[in-house]
Structures are given as structure tokens and as C-alpha cells.
Amino acid sequence: MGAFPDCPEPMKQQLAQLLSTAVATLQADGALPADLSVEIQLERTRDRKHGDFASNLAMMLCKAARSKPRDLAERLLAALPASDIVIRVEIAGPGFINFFLAPSAYHALLQQVLADGEKFGRSDIGAGKSVQVEFVSANPTGPLHVGHGRGAAYGATVADLLEAVGHKVHREYYVNDAGRQMNILAASVYLRYLDLCGETLTFPSNGYKGDYVWDIGASLHRKHGEALRHSTDEVFRDVTADEPQGGDKEAHIDDLIERIRTLLGETHYREVFDLGLNAILENIRRDLEEFGVHYDAWFSERSLTEGGAVERALERLKASGHVYEKNGALWFRSTDFGDEKDRVIVRDNGQTTYFASDIAYHMNKLERGYDRVIDIWGADHHGYVPRVKAALTALGDDADKLDVLLVQFAILYRGGERMQMSTRSGEFVTLRELRHEVGNDAARFFYVLRKCEQHMDFDLDLAKSQSNENPIYYIQYAHARVASVFRQLQDKGFSWNPENGAKHLDRLSESHEDELIVMLSRYPEIVEAAALNHEPHQLAHYLRELANAFHTYYNAHQFLVDDNDLRDARLNLIQATRQVIANGLGLLGVSAPDSM
RNA sequence: GCCCCGGUAGCUCAGUAGGAUAGAGCAACGGCCUUCUAAGCCGUGGGUCAGGGGUUCGAAUCCUCUCCGGGGCGCCA
């Protein structure tokens, strides 16, 4: 443990070490095949009658040993080296090896929590490996809505967890600042501007209808007055009819974009475009920042095109021989790599597709030398995974370095009715509204309470009306209660002597105390599992259990007792509890208040 | 049609790379505040783990089929 030379190996690792020594001994004796590679499995027991940790090792190896599980367990037990932290080992059931830990092991752990403080639970098992995590990356065509919130909370927490276990994490937002959607936004802004100039027009059915588009149109008007105004007749001349008028909504908006572009000229058009882009991007940035979601980089899609990266990616693909021309377009033969069909990378009109940019982007990510690259996408993009991996493989890159984590939708209900989440129609609940309604803490916690592949039903009315019953308050309350106890210390004429407490931890003999200490000792294992499996919900659930153990203890026993030794020992315990809750909530981006 | 995710208590969900008698919250019911914050605690009831078949010492967990729900299958991004 290079980063923390003072802290002993976690209990679990120590026990695993004992078992592997025993296995090696049996292998030397010929009781087990020498070439057998053994993976030690140890797990927390569900019932303390079975000790603290259990291993199914004997049952796993009984075939290789040509022996009954219980017999093998006996031999393993005999070969087990002595250890300070183990008080007893038993064989139980079909052949489980159950470890009972010494109280001193738990007492040492308690002191370690106090000594490590906010570092407790962190580790360096990530060994400094670099990981890039890209998440949210919503198109800057409108404010973030509650659907994006899940990706934001999940991505931020996964990133923080990975950092906590020793990875070097780079958080990135991919800004889709090129492409058709942004042009539609620019056109929408311009049309709202014309409206404010006094023009009468029918807004395209495919335009962005949200109120924020009016706002951007208004700031365009403030800046330029009527200088950019063109008559409705001029703008809509020769434009394909919109769908409600019996035409084609896609052609209608595309024609409008071209028309507006021509009328404004490239400079002014770009100005309108950038005004929309920057206004929305700034809004998104602030929103995420307020949500406790921070980025190291905002990566522009346009920079890929302008910097020649797309061109370079296409050249490399061509050189790989997996590209062909058909119907005037350029295709990538992704079927060579298991994709279900080939994909266009340059359209017949000469424009590169979004996919082409994405190939260039992922090429760029790998060129930056990360050990791992994690993309967090909405589940609706799942079909996209094979083609991106196919492209990386075709480029000669290691596609296995890329992990795509798919986050299922949060389905929003209000008044029992399902709500649509369409940026285009302007009908959506923004992330900001949600944060204001239920608070940042509750929102962050709620989003990571379920594993990412689980669909999420989110009843807004319920979240609002029951905000006091949200589990987050239960956890925060436990933290506040500890703080409150310490505030009461002086009022009662006591003081806390942690050194004295450390000397009398054996006074913590109540079953509630025992259970709480065991819960605390699990924390490093939980952080590790949550990080490596990208499952923040494990930490969220753990914290609830920890809070439960604390509340139960709180109700059963008085901490501020007259007995100095017992009082100090109990204060050590609850201070450690407070520390672990604060650390865990911190990793989830949730505050740990001292009073509520 | 093909692909991805899900189906566990009335509701919302956990179940740790198969492990010992299936858990929690909410909802329901019954208790606990002259004592460190009752946003709390204690207790009760509630389940053919969607269904069939298979794999093995052992399956909610792995394989397979069926049924149900959500999403995806563009020269859109």
C-alpha cells in the first residue's frame, strides 16, 4: 500500500493471504495439483453465527483434490498459518471455512478510521492507472433535463469512486457543436429574432420550441437591433412546405437553414450559431457545476473537423482496407468486425457523418494514452457500441480499452402521468427545476440509488411531497446526530479524550456496538467494489445500512455516560461512524450536515 | 423480424463475479419522546424470486425456450 504506508492490509486481504499460504502448503505436499491456479474467494457472512468472513475454497477445490469438501477443509485449516486478527476458524455446512476475527482487529480498524480521517476508505488498488470518463455530453441545443441528470450523477460518482481507489481520472464532456442539430437551433433562434422584429411567421414544426430559444433570440435582438432582419417572404421563399402544410418537415427545416445562411452571410450566420451555442453551453456548465459535477475538459466536436482529426481518421480507415464507395457515399465495412450492417461515414453530399466524428474522437482519446476509456451513454445508444468498437479495431487500436456503460432512462411521472422528454418540443422538466424542487442532495442520491441498467421510475409529485422521507435524510440525520452529541459534551461538563477511548475499546461490548463496528469495517470493501464494478448504488445502500446500525445504537444506549472510559470509547466509535458517513456521502456528491 | 435492458413482498428496489433459513424502504397494523434532534427506534403481517426445462454438492444468480414491460435498429445527432 504505497500511498498509505501506515495502514495495514485490509482484513479481507490478510485472510486471503492466509488461505493462499495454506493452499501453497497443500500443493507442496501433493494434496493439491501443483499447477492449479487458485483464486481465493472470501465473502462477508450474512449471519454472524458463521463468523466474519467465509470461504468456499474447499468446495471449489474438492474435485481437484479428489477429496470430500469437509475433509479438504480440515487439511486447509491445519495448514493455515497463525494470525493476530483471527481468533477462531471453523468448518461448517457443506465445507465452508469460517473465520472469526479477534476484537483487537476491529479495535485497530476503529483507530484507523480516526487516524485516516477523510482518507479512510481510499486505496491505491487502481495503481495510478489513467482513466478517462466521458459523460452527459448532451447536445447543446437546450438546457439539461432530468434524463440527463441521471447520467450526470452516475458519471460524476463513477469518476469520483475510481479516483478514490487510486486511478488518475480525466472527466470530459463531448460538445456536439457541429452538425445539423446545431444548425436547426441557429435557425430557430433566428426565426424567434425575426418574430421579435415584428415579422409574422409560422415556426417550423421541427424547430426548437423551448422558451430559452426566445431568450437567445432576444439577446440577438438587443445586440443587433434590426440589422439582421429579413422579411418573412424573403426567408421562406422557395422553401419546401412544412409537414402540417402537407410538405416534409425535414426538408422544410433544411431549406430554411440554407436560406438563412445565404441571407445572413457566413459571418453573421456563424454569429447567430455561436450565440445559441455559447448561451446554452454556459447554461449547461453552470447547471452541472451547481449539481457538483465537475469536468476537466469540454471537448469540441468542431475542433476535430477543423484540426483535421476527422480527415486523418478517414485516411487511416481507408488505409486499413475496410472502406468502400457505394451510391456516391463512403462506407465503413463494420460488418467485418461483427456489426450488423455497414455504416456511412461520408454522405453523398460530401459531408461527414456524426459517426465519422465519433471515430475521430475515440481515436483521439486512445492517442492521448489513457489506460482505460469509459463512455457513459443513454441506453438508446446501445446499438452504437459495436460500430465504434469496430472502427477502433479497424484502426488497429485496442477496442477493449473502451468500456461503454449504458444508463437506462429515468421515466418521469407527474400526477400519475408519464411525461415526455423532448428537447425539440420544449416539453421537459429541466434538471434545474428538479434540483430546486427536491434539492441537490436528494437528487444526486436518488439518481445513483439504482444500478444503471435498471429502469428508473421517478414520480415528481412523490419526490416532492415525500422529500422528508427520502432515504438521504435518514443518512444525513445520522451524521447530524453525532455532531449534536459532540455539541452536548461541554454542556454536560464532559470532554472527549480519544487516547483514553482507544485504550478502552474493549468496553464496547454491546451487540449494537459490535454490529456498528463490523459495518464500519466493511466500508473499504464497499468502496472498492462500487468503484471497480461501476456501481455507486452499492455505496448508497451501504450508507443506509450503516445509518440504520447507528440509529439503532443511538436509541438503545446513552453515549454521554458518567463512566469516563466507556464514554470515551463510545465517542471514538460514533466519531468513526460520522467520519465514514461523511466520506461515503462525499463520494456520492452529497453533503453531510452537522445539524438538520 | 433482429439487438440491448428489465420482470424478486401491495408499491419502489437490493441481493456482493452460484453458497448456508430470500432482504430493505415506502404503504398497513401495534408499541416507544420528564434522558445525547421521534427526519428516529422496537415489533407484526406480507414471496410458486414471471413460467417451463437444463447444468451441480448447491440456482433469484449460469444455459435454453416461452410470456410480459421499456428501449434501439437513418446518408439524424
Side-chain angles (χ1 to χ4, degrees):
Chain A
M1 307 297 288
F4 307 103
D6 294 331
C7 84
E9 290 273 313
M11 327 176 137
K12 192 172 171 180
Q13 270 87 324
Q14 293 189 56
L15 297 178
Q17 190 55 47
L18 299 178
L19 279 172
S20 28
T21 305
V23 169
T25 306
L26 292 201
Q27 283 179 319
D29 293 350
L32 280 171
D35 57 347
L36 195 65
S37 88
V38 181
E39 199 166 344
I40 307 291
Q41 288 191 26
L42 264 171
E43 56 182 15
R44 290 276 178 172
T45 55
R46 233 185 303 172
D47 189 336
R48 290 214 77 200
K49 285 201 294 274
H50 300 136
D52 296 288
F53 287 88
S55 177
N56 58 359
L57 193 61
M59 291 176 292
M60 304 262 308
L61 299 181
C62 62
K63 271 193 185 148
R66 300 162 155 275
S67 136
K68 289 181 191 166
R70 286 193 70 111
D71 292 346
L72 180 59
E74 292 286 357
R75 305 181 65 163
L76 283 166
L77 203 151
L80 220 49
S83 164
D84 289 345
I85 68 166
V86 180
I87 201 167
R88 187 164 99 246
V89 188
E90 281 179 1
I91 295 165
F96 288 105
I97 301 173
N98 293 338
F99 292 88
F100 293 77
L101 297 190
S104 60
Y106 284 114
H107 296 164
L109 179 118
L110 215 48
Q111 289 312 113
Q112 196 189 323
V113 177
L114 297 177
D116 289 354
E118 59 187 28
K119 287 204 200 78
F120 180 73
R122 295 187 167 261
S123 69
D124 63 356
I125 51 173
K129 277 196 200 150
S130 61
V131 185
Q132 191 225 28
V133 183
E134 181 220 322
F135 58 111
V136 185
S137 300
N139 283 346
T141 53
L144 296 177
H145 56 62
V146 296
H148 299 124
R150 186 172 189 185
Y154 178 73
T157 310
V158 166
D160 288 353
L161 281 166
L162 287 171
E163 201 161 71
V165 298
H167 287 93
K168 284 173 57 185
V169 179
H170 181 85
R171 300 159 179 84
E172 192 158 303
Y173 188 116
Y174 182 53
V175 182
N176 297 120
D177 53 5
R180 183 161 172 265
Q181 296 307 320
M182 289 307 299
N183 285 316
I184 294 176
L185 177 75
S188 301
V189 167
Y190 182 66
L191 292 174
R192 291 308 194 198
Y193 160 81
L194 287 185
D195 199 302
L196 292 168
C197 289
E199 293 291 329
T200 306
L201 55 88
T202 307
F203 198 75
S205 55
N206 220 11
Y208 286 99
K209 300 193 185 71
D211 290 342
Y212 61 94
V213 180
W214 281 110
D215 296 341
I216 301 168
S219 71
L220 185 65
H221 190 264
R222 276 195 300 278
K223 190 167 174 195
H224 286 274
E226 311 235 325
L228 303 179
R229 178 171 180 175
H230 291 271
S231 74
T232 303
D233 283 351
E234 228 180 332
V235 173
F236 283 82
R237 188 179 304 154
D238 298 330
V239 165
T240 307
D242 201 357
E243 195 166 86
Q245 281 74 50
D248 179 340
K249 63 177 180 180
E250 304 291 348
H252 178 67
I253 195 82
D254 283 339
D255 284 357
L256 269 175
I257 291 167
E258 273 321 300
R259 189 78 190 134
I260 291 167
R261 206 165 184 156
T262 307
L263 287 172
L264 286 177
E266 201 51 38
T267 308
H268 281 138
Y269 178 77
R270 178 55 69 188
E271 195 176 335
V272 173
F273 184 104
D274 284 343
L275 188 71
L277 170 67
N278 292 332
I280 291 173
L281 209 52
E282 190 45 43
N283 178 293
I284 289 175
R285 208 185 296 246
R286 191 159 52 86
D287 211 5
L288 288 171
E289 197 66 32
E290 286 172 11
F291 199 34
V293 177
H294 313 291
Y295 284 94
D296 300 301
W298 296 70
F299 194 98
S300 152
E301 176 187 358
R302 212 194 291 168
S303 76
L304 287 171
T305 320
E306 291 171 357
V310 173
E311 200 52 41
R312 203 154 45 78
L314 292 185
E315 288 311 316
R316 276 181 63 187
L317 267 189
K318 282 182 198 162
S320 77
H322 296 286
V323 166
Y324 62 93
E325 256 182 77
K326 191 177 92 183
N327 301 336
L330 198 64
W331 296 69
F332 167 49
R333 204 189 321 274
S334 54
T335 48
D336 286 352
F337 305 93
D339 195 10
E340 54 190 20
K341 54 190 284 192
D342 293 341
R343 311 291 174 177
V344 172
I345 46 179
V346 182
R347 292 198 281 263
D348 57 7
N349 65 9
Q351 283 188 312
T352 55
T353 59
Y354 175 82
F355 180 42
S357 297
D358 232 9
I359 294 172
Y361 181 41
H362 284 86
M363 179 181 83
N364 171 286
K365 288 187 184 193
L366 291 182
E367 280 173 351
R368 282 189 257 165
Y370 298 113
D371 295 312
R372 289 213 77 74
V373 169
I374 295 178
D375 286 2
I376 294 174
W377 293 349
D380 54 334
H381 286 70
H382 89 266
Y384 207 74
V385 179
R387 77 188 75 162
V388 171
K389 293 211 169 208
L392 288 176
T393 307
L395 289 170
D397 285 321
D398 182 3
D400 287 336
K401 282 188 178 173
L402 173 66
D403 266 330
V404 181
L405 307 181
L406 299 171
V407 179
Q408 293 291 328
F409 285 150
I411 303 168
L412 206 67
Y413 294 83
R414 173 164 259 159
E417 272 186 42
R418 187 166 174 181
M419 303 192 64
Q420 291 305 313
M421 274 301 140
S422 161
T423 306
R424 194 71 64 85
S425 69
E427 294 165 8
F428 51 84
V429 179
T430 63
L431 175 60
R432 186 166 292 138
E433 285 165 351
L434 175 75
R435 293 197 289 103
H436 290 337
E437 271 192 38
V438 307
N440 273 337
D441 285 346
R444 282 290 298 258
F445 189 78
F446 188 88
Y447 274 129
V448 297
L449 196 51
R450 281 155 186 79
K451 57 185 175 195
C452 68
E453 62 264 36
Q454 180 71 257
H455 299 240
M456 181 183 279
D457 286 337
F458 196 149
D459 189 322
L460 272 176
D461 296 328
L462 207 68
K464 200 176 168 185
S465 68
Q466 297 196 337
S467 62
N468 281 1
E469 291 165 26
N470 191 305
I472 189 56
Y473 296 101
Y474 182 82
I475 299 166
Q476 291 179 320
Y477 185 44
H479 185 272
R481 271 183 153 176
V482 178
S484 175
V485 170
F486 278 91
R487 280 194 298 270
Q488 305 271 335
L489 255 185
Q490 291 187 331
D491 296 350
K492 301 211 171 195
F494 296 130
S495 62
W496 175 40
N497 181 341
E499 290 76 24
N500 187 52
K503 277 183 218 147
H504 296 95
L505 293 177
D506 57 342
R507 297 289 306 278
L508 301 176
S509 55
E510 302 288 349
S511 65
H512 291 117
E513 291 164 338
D514 185 56
E515 279 158 28
L516 184 53
I517 296 173
V518 171
M519 278 302 293
L520 292 174
S521 75
R522 287 176 54 200
Y523 180 70
E525 295 159 31
I526 296 290
V527 172
E528 180 181 330
L532 299 185
N533 298 318
H534 312 126
E535 292 183 341
H537 77 275
Q538 284 195 38
L539 179 54
H541 284 274
Y542 163 81
L543 288 173
R544 216 219 152 262
E545 285 180 57
L546 175 59
N548 176 250
F550 172 77
H551 286 307
T552 300
Y553 178 37
Y554 180 97
N555 274 275
H557 301 285
Q558 193 78 13
F559 306 146
L560 300 178
V561 292
D562 291 331
D563 181 332
N564 287 340
D565 297 343
L566 182 60
R567 187 180 63 245
D568 282 335
R570 286 185 169 170
L571 289 175
N572 279 22
L573 173 56
I574 67 169
Q575 174 59 26
T577 305
R578 171 192 186 163
Q579 186 70 60
V580 170
I581 291 175
N583 291 3
L585 288 180
L587 282 173
L588 298 181
V590 176
S591 68
D594 281 341
S595 67
M596 292 177 68

